[in-house]
């Protein structure tokens, strides 16, 4: 069994995915717009048929999905979930944290903790909460 998170960006999926491509090296796997659905009834679900109906992208070994969703369901801020990003070392943690922080809000600056050499929390410009940690050498 696998759990894959779906992030609803309320009309900003394309910009969010591009941000993750640039900031985290994400790789787009699938991108389907409402107008491209094989079901013609889906073409009018969104007020903008060019918005993203479904996308999936890979960050490291993790698949995330994104949607602009049906406007009444999509929320501009993603609450109650934090994505944990494990960096291989301090330099990578700093680079990832800095990239995610651009236009976002730092919740906890990167600092040494009892569980790792660097850990920090940031909410990116799209409302996604991230924790960046240096991977433990004991794993």
């Amino acid at each position: 069994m696998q759990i894959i998170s779906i992030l609803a960006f309320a009309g900003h999926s394309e910009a969010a995915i591009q941000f993750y491509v640039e900031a985290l090296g994400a790789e787009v796997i699938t991108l389907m717009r409402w107008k491209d659905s094989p079901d013609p009834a889906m073409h009018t679900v969104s007020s903008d048929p060019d918005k993203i109906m479904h996308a999936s992208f890979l960050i490291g070994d993790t698949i995330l999905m994104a949607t602009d969703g049906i406007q009444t369901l999509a929320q501009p801020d993603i609450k109650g979930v934090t994505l944990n990003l494990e960096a291989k070392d301090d330099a990578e943690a700093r680079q990832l944290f800095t990239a995610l922080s651009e236009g976002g809000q730092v919740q906890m600056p990167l600092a040494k903790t009892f569980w790792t050499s660097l850990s920090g929390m940031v909410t990116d410009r799209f409302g996604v909460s991230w924790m960046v940690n240096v991977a433990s050498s004991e794993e």
Side-chain angles (χ1 to χ4, degrees):
M1 180 184 310
Q2 184 179 21
I3 296 173
I4 299 174
S5 298
I6 302 172
L7 306 174
F9 288 106
H12 301 287
S13 287
E14 193 157 12
I17 292 167
Q18 185 58 41
F19 174 69
Y20 299 135
V21 166
E22 294 169 8
L24 305 176
E27 176 187 339
V28 177
I29 301 167
T30 306
L31 193 140
M32 179 182 281
R33 298 178 190 286
W34 288 99
K35 69 180 183 184
D36 297 329
S37 170
D39 180 356
M42 299 299 284
H43 296 181
T44 58
V45 170
S46 173
S47 61
D48 184 346
D50 287 316
K51 293 297 182 184
I52 307 301
M53 182 176 94
H54 167 76
S56 61
F57 54 101
L58 192 63
I59 298 175
D61 295 330
T62 301
I63 295 172
L64 292 172
M65 293 182 180
T67 185
D68 287 322
I70 300 169
Q71 295 307 314
T72 57
L73 298 179
Q75 300 298 316
D77 293 315
I78 298 166
K79 300 198 184 299
V81 173
T82 297
L83 301 178
N84 186 54
L85 190 55
E86 294 284 312
K88 66 180 179 238
D89 56 33
D90 288 5
E92 184 179 50
R94 285 186 188 94
Q95 182 264 318
L96 295 169
F97 193 83
T98 299
L100 288 169
S101 299
E102 187 176 320
Q105 184 175 12
V106 173
Q107 307 300 322
M108 182 179 97
L110 275 178
K112 181 171 177 38
T113 66
F114 65 89
W115 65 87
T116 186
S117 59
L118 283 178
S119 180
M121 293 180 69
V122 61
T123 300
D124 71 26
R125 67 176 83 168
F126 296 99
V128 178
S129 177
W130 295 87
M131 178 176 250
V132 177
N133 284 293
V134 174
S136 171
S137 59
E138 296 176 10
E139 293 180 14

